[in-house]
Amino acid sequence: METREGVPARPPSYEGVWRFTAPAVDVSVPQARHAVRDLLARQGVPVHEDVRQGLLLIVSELVTNAVRHAALLSPEIAVEVAIGPEWIRVAVEDNHPYRPKALEADHARTGGRGLLLVKEIALESGGACDVEHTASGGKIIWAALPLAPMAPGPGAPDGRVTSPRPDPSAP
């Protein structure tokens, strides 16, 4: 990124990494969602409305999973938001060692599909998600989304644009 006379331009002011912790209790779910929503607005992140809604749903799902399944071994969870020039990445960390997998859709079950939903939202928007172990034995579940959704257009059989994007795990 350069400006006149080859002088490097400053990165957009919305870029950065923010992290907050919360107790692993039910009330933390809407609080985390509102904190991320407010952060996006405060920083002036140029995120498309569809992507913003998907991101907030992902935050809700990941924090809910941590509260429901990790609270016994992780009374506190951490939420991290990293925003780059083209990507936004949200991660939820807890101290529970279990590494969940996205379940297949089973219409007879009333729950257990949160990670599948996160994965679908990320993939549909051209992003990615994964689960990683921490050095302390816990886990981080993250999802990265482009700030703008993939637009239909020529280039891919399904109408999606196939231009390359940076590694979503490195905002």
Side-chain angles (χ1 to χ4, degrees), residues 65-142:
N65 285 351
V67 167
R68 285 190 181 159
H69 305 295
L72 184 62
L73 296 178
S74 186
E76 187 173 81
I77 60 171
V79 178
E80 182 176 278
V81 180
I83 306 169
E86 295 182 24
W87 288 88
I88 184 164
R89 180 183 187 262
V90 64
V92 175
E93 180 178 348
D94 64 57
N95 293 322
H96 198 290
Y98 175 69
R99 187 174 172 157
K101 293 183 179 13
L103 300 176
E104 293 302 317
D106 178 354
H107 300 292
R109 294 184 67 177
T110 58
R113 294 184 293 262
L115 195 53
L116 177 65
L117 179 62
V118 168
K119 197 174 203 176
E120 288 299 317
I121 292 170
L123 293 176
E124 278 187 20
S125 68
C129 71
D130 202 2
V131 180
E132 300 171 357
H133 286 290
T134 64
S136 63
K139 67 182 164 300
I140 298 172
I141 303 177
W142 60 265

